[in-house]
């Protein structure tokens, strides 16, 4: 037992040192994939214990590795381009991008027709999406908790559909985009304050690798594509 703990401790040190070095020579995503594999191995070793340590390490490494570097590099480039779009707040969540537009920028209160002033920003957004064709998008409409639920549900979906229609007019393929209306079901801030409600009124776009990019990534890293 003591020997296993010493082994695990040694693996932890090696994993962290190696991951730290990797961040100096690789992109954040590539380093994350490598570091994830190493740390996954540590977890596997700890869980495996004794004779099962090696097996646990192998399983843990597989889990920690996640997607390969090809998707990571693709999303790195797309993220950089999206951050140039005015009004878009871009967040990285693993190998997925989340882009948020405050609803006040895009729509008048209670309306689902895009403001004329917002179309410039969405045009720039659409140019990036049209360039990076190997991603699928979920377009989400969100409201605060004021007003009737049924109205907010309908409004949030209509806003998502308005954004999709405009992006289609900018050359983004419609079959890449799925609308969702969540009303006030997924707040990101406190609905009891004006600032919180303002943050909750938003259009949020989830951007992830499509099936084609996943297959390319799998082939490049010699592993099965995600189902």
């Amino acid at each position: 037992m003591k020997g296993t703990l010493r082994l695990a401790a040694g693996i932890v040190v090696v994993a962290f040192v190696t991951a730290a070095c990797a961040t100096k020579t690789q992109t954040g995503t590539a380093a994350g994939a490598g570091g994830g594999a190493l740390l996954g191995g540590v977890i596997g070793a700890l869980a495996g214990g004794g004779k099962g340590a090696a097996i646990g390490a192998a399983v843990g490494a597989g889990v920690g590795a996640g997607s390969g570097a090809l998707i990571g590099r693709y999303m790195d480039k797309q993220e950089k381009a999206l951050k140039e779009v005015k009004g878009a707040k871009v967040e990285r969540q693993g190998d997925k991008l989340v882009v948020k537009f405050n609803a006040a920028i895009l729509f008048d209160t209670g309306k689902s027709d895009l403001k004329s002033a917002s179309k410039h920003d969405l045009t720039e957004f659409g140019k990036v999406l049209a360039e990076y064709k190997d991603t699928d998008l979920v377009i989400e409409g969100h409201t605060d908790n004021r007003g009737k639920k049924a109205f907010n549900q309908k409004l949030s979906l209509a806003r998502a559909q308005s954004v999709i229609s405009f992006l289609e007019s900018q050359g983004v393929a419609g079959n890449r985009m799925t609308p969702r209306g969540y009303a006030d079901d997924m707040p990101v801030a406190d609905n009891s304050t004006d600032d919180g409600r303002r943050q909750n009124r938003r259009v949020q776009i989830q951007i992830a690798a499509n099936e084609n990019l996943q297959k390319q990534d799998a082939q490049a890293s010699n592993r099965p594509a995600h189902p």
Side-chain angles (χ1 to χ4, degrees):
M1 183 65 177
K2 290 181 179 179
T4 300
L5 291 176
R6 284 196 297 270
L7 173 62
I11 295 173
V12 170
V13 172
V14 172
F16 276 102
V17 170
T18 306
C21 292
T23 60
K24 296 181 181 179
T25 57
Q26 299 173 291
T27 65
T29 302
L38 287 168
L39 295 179
V42 173
I43 295 170
L46 291 172
K51 295 180 180 179
I55 297 174
V59 173
V63 172
S67 61
L70 190 149
I71 288 178
R73 288 194 297 270
Y74 192 91
M75 300 306 279
D76 283 342
K77 293 177 182 178
Q78 189 174 19
E79 179 184 13
K80 182 179 180 180
L82 288 171
K83 285 184 174 179
E84 299 298 318
V85 178
K86 184 179 178 181
K89 181 181 179 182
V90 184
E91 298 176 1
R92 185 67 170 264
Q93 297 181 1
D95 279 329
K96 180 175 72 173
L97 298 175
V98 178
V99 182
K100 297 177 185 177
F101 287 92
N102 190 287
I105 296 174
L106 304 180
F107 306 100
D108 289 322
T109 302
K111 304 295 184 181
S112 61
D113 296 326
L114 287 166
K115 291 181 178 181
S116 296
S118 71
K119 292 182 179 180
H120 173 74
D121 295 344
L122 283 180
T123 296
E124 295 304 308
F125 183 60
K127 287 179 180 178
V128 177
L129 298 179
E131 179 181 356
Y132 290 88
K133 301 178 185 296
D134 286 327
T135 50
D136 287 333
L137 304 94
V138 177
I139 316 293
E140 305 172 354
H142 299 267
T143 69
D144 60 27
N145 66 348
R146 289 186 169 183
K148 293 183 178 180
K149 183 82 169 187
F151 176 82
N152 286 339
Q153 180 67 45
K154 183 177 180 180
L155 177 64
S156 60
L157 180 59
R159 285 178 168 179
Q161 291 169 329
S162 287
V163 171
I164 285 177
S165 294
F166 184 80
L167 292 175
E168 281 188 279
S169 75
Q170 302 305 305
V172 183
N175 61 5
R176 294 175 56 191
M177 299 181 285
T178 302
R180 292 282 187 270
Y182 289 108
D184 63 329
D185 291 338
M186 300 176 66
V188 293
D190 186 355
N191 268 315
S192 67
T193 68
D194 288 339
D195 182 62
R197 288 190 293 271
R198 180 187 59 78
Q199 293 181 60
N200 289 332
R201 296 189 296 269
R202 68 196 189 278
V203 170
Q204 184 166 302
I205 299 97
Q206 311 274 351
I207 306 175
N210 66 10
E211 184 178 356
N212 179 58
L213 185 56
Q214 289 181 29
K215 287 181 179 178
Q216 293 179 47
D217 181 79
Q219 290 171 357
S221 54
N222 295 316
R223 60 177 179 75
H226 293 300

